[in-house]
Amino acid sequence: MKQGIIIVNKGTMDKEVRRRCIEDFMFSVGDRIPDADMVCVYTDDGIRKRLREETGEKYQNLKAAILSMKDRGVTDLIVVPTEIHDGPEFKKMKEEVTGLASIFKTVNISKPLLYDEADYEITARAMHGAFKETVKDDILVLITAGHKTDAVEELKAFETHLAKYFNECYVATLYGERKLYKIIKDINVANASSRRIVFIPMEFIAGETVENDVSQEYTSLVLRLEEEGYAVDSIFKGLAEYDDFQRLYMRHLYDALR
């Protein structure tokens, strides 16, 4: 048996964010599974092209990485997505991996951060551990990309678990049914007396120069909240910069190893 692990991320040109998030997570995986053949793939074609042209760094796409694993003698493969939830990108990745599964003895795909009810609870506890001192008794708003097909009830279920640990909390999305302007209405109705919000991107990587939708919209969303009269404390870092959340992804990886 030869174990192979592929870490899947959209990617970024920001070297510091890569170091703090993607590379640090890979080191964590390597420390715990030292004998595995491990690589990271970037799914964004534009980012891979820019890295190749501007820095000389070469990252394979997912299909090429899977075939390379086979060429290097890997018999048992685990693919680790860094997605937050079971959205279109995760489903697309899953289909691609499943289409090549027959060339290995076993192929397993670990779950995204939020996949089922147990994930909601353990992630809510991790949020409390990471942000309780910052949020205190004020309002927590998590922002993720979301998709038009997102189930509103699933996001509300996660909020229910968060509410065990935070006085008032919301998950807003850029797309789908839970856009920020709707969340603001909910906040105003629920608690007009509290005017302080802690605003946090719920993404694996995030930052001013990170090429994902949440990072690109983050500053304007903060300004919108401030225009509504809120004092906003914004934490502009991805979840992968916190050990609490890296451990949750590791938990899913261990589940896939079983």
Side-chain angles (χ1 to χ4, degrees):
M1 171 183 171
K2 183 175 180 181
Q3 182 72 66
I5 299 174
I6 300 177
I7 311 294
V8 182
N9 187 266
K10 180 179 179 179
T12 178
M13 295 292 294
D14 191 313
K15 289 185 178 181
E16 277 302 303
V17 171
R18 274 190 280 156
R19 181 186 61 80
R20 296 195 305 265
C21 295
I22 302 171
E23 293 174 11
D24 189 65
F25 180 60
M26 291 183 69
F27 285 135
S28 296
V29 174
D31 284 344
R32 292 164 176 79
I33 313 171
D35 296 329
D37 184 337
M38 182 170 57
V39 298
C40 178
V41 303
Y42 289 172
T43 58
D44 189 292
D45 295 338
I47 290 173
R48 292 200 311 274
K49 181 180 179 182
R50 286 181 61 197
L51 283 169
R52 184 172 62 251
E53 294 175 350
E54 297 178 24
T55 70
E57 298 171 274
K58 296 180 180 179
Y59 282 84
Q60 293 178 311
N61 61 31
L62 180 56
K63 181 178 180 180
I66 292 172
L67 295 175
S68 294
M69 285 280 184
K70 177 63 177 178
D71 290 342
R72 295 198 296 274
V74 167
T75 58
D76 297 84
L77 179 66
I78 293 179
V79 179
V80 182
T82 57
E83 298 290 332
I84 296 298
H85 54 84
D86 181 14
E89 292 301 319
F90 175 74
K91 289 180 172 64
K92 179 181 177 182
M93 180 275 299
K94 191 173 181 179
E95 289 178 2
E96 189 169 2
V97 173
T98 302
L100 293 169
S102 62
I103 65 177
F104 298 97
K105 182 180 177 181
T106 65
V107 172
N108 290 294
I109 302 170
S110 69
K111 298 185 296 183
L113 183 68
L114 297 174
Y115 192 79
D116 54 32
E117 197 75 17
D119 292 334
Y120 299 161
E121 175 61 24
I122 198 169
T123 303
R125 291 203 303 265
M127 290 284 178
H128 185 249
F131 305 121
K132 61 182 177 181
E133 295 301 325
T134 302
V135 178
K136 299 179 181 177
D137 293 326
D138 293 307
I139 303 168
L140 169 65
V141 174
L142 302 173
I143 179 73
T144 187
H147 298 278
K148 292 180 180 179
T149 57
D150 281 346
V152 174
E153 294 305 316
E154 292 178 2
L155 294 176
K156 285 184 176 178
F158 179 51
E159 283 182 355
T160 300
H161 288 271
L162 280 174
K164 299 176 186 178
Y165 304 97
F166 296 97
N167 182 51
E168 188 175 350
C169 51
Y170 301 89
V171 179
T173 62
L174 294 181
Y175 313 111
E177 294 297 320
R178 297 184 63 79
K179 292 181 181 178
L180 184 64
Y181 74 90
K182 292 185 178 180
I183 296 298
I184 291 173
K185 291 180 181 178
D186 290 342
I187 293 172
N188 288 334
V189 170
N191 191 354
S193 62
S194 178
R195 306 304 295 178
R196 178 178 177 268
I197 290 178
V198 179
F199 196 56
I200 299 172
M202 193 166 68
E203 296 289 318
F204 189 83
I205 60 173
E208 291 182 6
T209 60
V210 172
E211 303 85 343
N212 62 36
D213 292 349
V214 170
S215 293
Q216 292 165 1
E217 295 292 330
Y218 191 79
T219 301
S220 63
L221 293 172
V222 170
L223 291 174
R224 176 164 187 169
L225 288 168
E226 290 176 339
E227 288 170 358
E228 291 286 332
Y230 294 98
V232 182
D233 286 340
S234 58
I235 300 176
F236 203 2
K237 297 196 298 186
L239 297 183
E241 297 198 38
Y242 301 88
D243 290 341
D244 311 61
F245 301 105
Q246 284 203 19
R247 284 194 289 269
L248 298 189
Y249 282 97
M250 285 298 306
R251 170 176 169 266
H252 287 322
L253 173 54
Y254 286 138
D255 287 343
L257 279 168
R258 293 171 185 166

